[in-house]
Amino acid sequence: MFNLPDFMKNANNVYRTKLYIIKQDVFIADDLDGNTHIHSDDVYYLRNKKLDKQFENYYSDRILLNGKRVHTNTNTKRYVK
């Protein structure tokens, strides 16, 4: 059975920058005042040869290989080495 790389687990969007592969978990959130916003929990994986190979294998059919960020109103960031 194929094991998903960590950057693919619970991700709505994955894209790559010069230094990182970023996993986005995008969702609609409500605050206590009843306001609704789009939020993204982001995990930044420092790029290395292994992760780049996994990324390129998984997204080989993309027109823009590196992908793009889904813009949101708010986000949280976590960095993984």
Side-chain angles (χ1 to χ4, degrees), residues 19-36:
L19 298 176
Y20 297 99
I21 294 174
I22 298 106
K23 168 175 72 173
Q24 285 187 281
D25 178 16
V26 180
F27 56 93
I28 297 174
D30 297 319
D31 64 21
L32 295 175
D33 295 327
N35 299 311
T36 303

Side-chain angles (χ1 to χ4, degrees), residues 22-69:
I22 298 106
K23 168 175 72 173
Q24 285 187 281
D25 178 16
V26 180
F27 56 93
I28 297 174
D30 297 319
D31 64 21
L32 295 175
D33 295 327
N35 299 311
T36 303
H37 61 274
I38 300 172
H39 182 85
S40 177
D41 284 332
D42 302 344
V43 181
Y44 286 66
Y45 296 88
L46 190 59
R47 286 177 64 172
N48 59 48
K49 288 181 182 181
K50 179 183 175 186
L51 289 181
D52 275 346
K53 184 173 176 80
Q54 290 174 325
F55 183 94
E56 289 167 6
N57 287 338
Y58 197 85
Y59 291 113
S60 62
D61 61 343
R62 276 185 173 175
I63 293 171
L64 297 173
L65 179 62
N66 290 330
K68 291 186 174 185
R69 177 171 184 77

